[in-house]
Amino acid sequence: MAKITKRAHFTVEDLDTKSRLDVYLSNQRAELTRNVIAQAHLRLNGKAAKKGNLVQNGDELEIEYTLTVFEGLTAQAVEFPILYEDESIVVINKPQGLVVHPAAGNWDHTLANGLLHRYGDSILSVQEEGAEGVRPGIVHRLDKETSGVLVVALTQHAQIALNEQFKERTTTKIYIALVDGLLKERSGKITAHIRRNPNDRKKMAICASDEGRSALTEYTLLRQFKTCALVRITLHTGRTHQIRVHFASIGHPVVGDELYGKAVDQGMMLHALELGLIHPKSGKPCTFKAPLPERFLSYVRLRLNKNSD
């Protein structure tokens, strides 16, 4: 473990009304907890600020804060199926249960450890801004129990280009999920704002527009079963746990989501099916797909067999 001092700058956006400074910051990065913000040096539009100050779109925020972090990254053999690879990017089909980068409770055998093992020390120079050497080439994430398509940058140029695409929401992100219950509509949009749950830092929560960030999830019902529904989801924004908290908020949590619903033996039924982006070197549009995992079919077969008894 080590103590590091970090600095970050944010231009306030996506607010419908004014928000407390600490609430806004806590929604930008998971590491910006209330305790971290309370002990940080804050500046609002160039002047010293307090956590209770109100911010609005266009404001400039600066924060200097201290974290206790994982020190270093160890190369470890970690299995991750590769869908596509060239000199700029690698696209993997992330297995369910694989953590993307080291964090509390998962310090090793992550995708980041596997990337270092596969590509050597050169991958350490491909860094997300502020990542402090533990997220080589990782420009977006999938939750531990979510499987599917994930792209990793292998060069600094690719990292910058992909980061910009995710920031500007020009990527296409399609998911498949099984959600609990009977859906009333064949299609729909969920637009509730999201913030970190103030009572449980592991969870996100639906909130008022002045307390969180805007989020848009669009879905189409593919097949309705007796106890669950198969849905195709287009993710228009990329908030933490967005699909999971959005569907839980309308009474249809993702099957197997023990954080927002209840666990099942097959694990969480959420899969990143398709990712569309502009290749950072060729400039050509690319679409990558990961086949539907067997666990979906296994769960549905089990439900159908039970219902036929």
Coordinates of all heavy atoms in Angstrom, one line a residue, residues 10-15 22-32 61 196 212-213 239-240:
F10 N -12.4 19.3 -13.2 CA -13.7 18.9 -13.9 C -14.4 20.2 -14.3 O -14.4 21.2 -13.6 CB -14.6 18.2 -12.9 CG -14.0 16.9 -12.3 CD1 -13.4 16.9 -11.1 CD2 -14.2 15.7 -13.0 CE1 -12.9 15.8 -10.6 CE2 -13.6 14.6 -12.5 CZ -13.0 14.6 -11.3
T11 N -14.9 20.1 -15.5 CA -15.9 21.2 -16.0 C -17.3 20.6 -15.7 O -17.6 19.6 -16.2 CB -15.7 21.5 -17.4 OG1 -14.3 22.0 -17.7 CG2 -16.7 22.6 -17.9
V12 N -18.0 21.3 -14.9 CA -19.4 20.8 -14.5 C -20.3 20.8 -15.7 O -20.4 21.7 -16.5 CB -20.0 21.7 -13.4 CG1 -21.3 21.2 -13.0 CG2 -19.0 21.7 -12.2
E13 N -20.9 19.6 -15.9 CA -21.9 19.4 -17.0 C -22.9 18.4 -16.5 O -22.8 17.8 -15.5 CB -21.2 18.9 -18.2 CG -20.4 17.6 -18.0 CD -19.6 17.2 -19.2 OE1 -19.6 18.0 -20.2 OE2 -19.0 16.2 -19.2
D14 N -23.9 18.3 -17.4 CA -25.0 17.3 -17.2 C -25.9 17.6 -16.0 O -26.6 16.7 -15.5 CB -24.5 15.8 -17.1 CG -23.8 15.4 -18.3 OD1 -24.2 15.9 -19.4 OD2 -23.0 14.5 -18.3
L15 N -25.9 18.8 -15.5 CA -26.8 19.1 -14.3 C -28.0 19.8 -14.9 O -27.9 20.7 -15.7 CB -26.1 20.0 -13.3 CG -24.9 19.4 -12.5 CD1 -24.4 20.4 -11.5 CD2 -25.4 18.2 -11.7
D22 N -19.7 18.6 -3.2 CA -19.3 17.3 -2.9 C -20.1 16.2 -3.5 O -19.6 15.1 -3.9 CB -19.2 17.1 -1.4 CG -20.6 17.4 -0.7 OD1 -21.5 17.9 -1.3 OD2 -20.7 17.1 0.5
V23 N -21.4 16.5 -3.7 CA -22.3 15.5 -4.4 C -21.9 15.3 -5.8 O -21.8 14.2 -6.4 CB -23.8 16.0 -4.3 CG1 -24.6 15.1 -5.2 CG2 -24.3 15.9 -2.9
Y24 N -21.6 16.5 -6.5 CA -21.1 16.4 -7.9 C -19.8 15.6 -8.0 O -19.7 14.7 -8.9 CB -20.9 17.8 -8.5 CG -20.5 17.8 -9.9 CD1 -21.5 17.6 -10.9 CD2 -19.2 17.8 -10.3 CE1 -21.1 17.6 -12.3 CE2 -18.8 17.8 -11.6 CZ -19.8 17.6 -12.6 OH -19.4 17.6 -13.9
L25 N -18.8 15.9 -7.2 CA -17.6 15.2 -7.3 C -17.7 13.7 -7.0 O -17.0 12.9 -7.7 CB -16.6 15.8 -6.3 CG -16.0 17.2 -6.7 CD1 -15.1 17.7 -5.6 CD2 -15.2 17.1 -8.0
S26 N -18.5 13.4 -6.0 CA -18.6 11.9 -5.7 C -19.2 11.1 -6.8 O -19.1 9.9 -6.9 CB -19.5 11.8 -4.4 OG -20.8 12.1 -4.7
N27 N -19.9 11.8 -7.8 CA -20.5 11.1 -8.9 C -19.5 11.0 -10.1 O -19.8 10.4 -11.1 CB -21.8 11.8 -9.3 CG -22.9 11.4 -8.5 OD1 -23.3 10.2 -8.4 ND2 -23.6 12.4 -7.8
Q28 N -18.3 11.7 -10.0 CA -17.4 11.7 -11.1 C -16.4 10.5 -11.0 O -16.1 9.9 -12.0 CB -16.6 13.0 -11.1 CG -17.4 14.2 -11.1 CD -18.5 14.2 -12.2 OE1 -18.2 14.0 -13.3 NE2 -19.7 14.4 -11.8
R29 N -16.0 10.1 -9.8 CA -15.1 9.0 -9.6 C -15.5 8.3 -8.3 O -15.7 8.9 -7.3 CB -13.6 9.5 -9.5 CG -13.1 10.1 -10.8 CD -11.6 10.5 -10.6 NE -11.1 11.2 -11.8 CZ -9.9 11.7 -11.9 NH1 -9.0 11.6 -10.8 NH2 -9.5 12.3 -13.0
A30 N -15.5 6.9 -8.4 CA -15.8 6.1 -7.2 C -14.8 6.4 -6.1 O -15.2 6.3 -4.9 CB -15.8 4.7 -7.6
E31 N -13.6 6.7 -6.4 CA -12.6 7.0 -5.3 C -12.8 8.3 -4.5 O -12.3 8.4 -3.4 CB -11.2 7.0 -5.9 CG -10.9 8.1 -6.8 CD -9.6 8.0 -7.6 OE1 -9.1 6.8 -7.7 OE2 -9.0 9.0 -8.0
L32 N -13.7 9.1 -5.1 CA -14.0 10.4 -4.4 C -15.1 10.2 -3.4 O -16.3 10.6 -3.7 CB -14.3 11.5 -5.4 CG -13.1 12.0 -6.3 CD1 -13.6 13.0 -7.3 CD2 -12.0 12.5 -5.4
L61 N -14.0 23.0 -11.5 CA -13.7 22.5 -10.2 C -12.3 21.9 -10.3 O -11.9 21.2 -11.2 CB -14.6 21.4 -9.8 CG -16.0 21.8 -9.4 CD1 -16.9 20.5 -9.1 CD2 -15.9 22.6 -8.1
R196 N -24.1 8.1 -6.5 CA -23.7 7.1 -5.5 C -24.6 7.1 -4.3 O -25.0 8.1 -3.8 CB -22.2 7.3 -5.1 CG -21.6 6.1 -4.4 CD -20.1 6.2 -4.5 NE -19.6 6.0 -5.9 CZ -19.5 4.9 -6.5 NH1 -19.8 3.8 -5.9 NH2 -19.0 4.8 -7.8
G212 N -27.6 14.1 -9.0 CA -26.8 13.1 -9.7 C -26.6 13.5 -11.1 O -26.7 14.6 -11.5
R213 N -26.3 12.4 -11.9 CA -26.0 12.6 -13.3 C -27.1 12.0 -14.2 O -27.6 11.0 -13.9 CB -24.6 12.0 -13.7 CG -23.5 12.5 -12.8 CD -22.2 11.9 -13.2 NE -21.7 12.6 -14.4 CZ -20.6 12.2 -15.1 NH1 -19.9 11.2 -14.6 NH2 -20.2 12.8 -16.2
R239 N -23.0 5.5 -17.0 CA -22.9 5.6 -15.5 C -22.6 4.3 -14.8 O -23.0 3.2 -15.3 CB -24.2 6.2 -14.9 CG -24.7 7.5 -15.7 CD -23.6 8.5 -15.9 NE -24.2 9.7 -16.5 CZ -23.5 10.7 -17.1 NH1 -22.2 10.5 -17.1 NH2 -24.1 11.7 -17.7
T240 N -21.9 4.4 -13.7 CA -21.7 3.2 -12.9 C -22.9 2.4 -12.6 O -23.9 3.0 -12.1 CB -20.9 3.5 -11.6 OG1 -19.7 4.2 -11.9 CG2 -20.6 2.3 -10.8

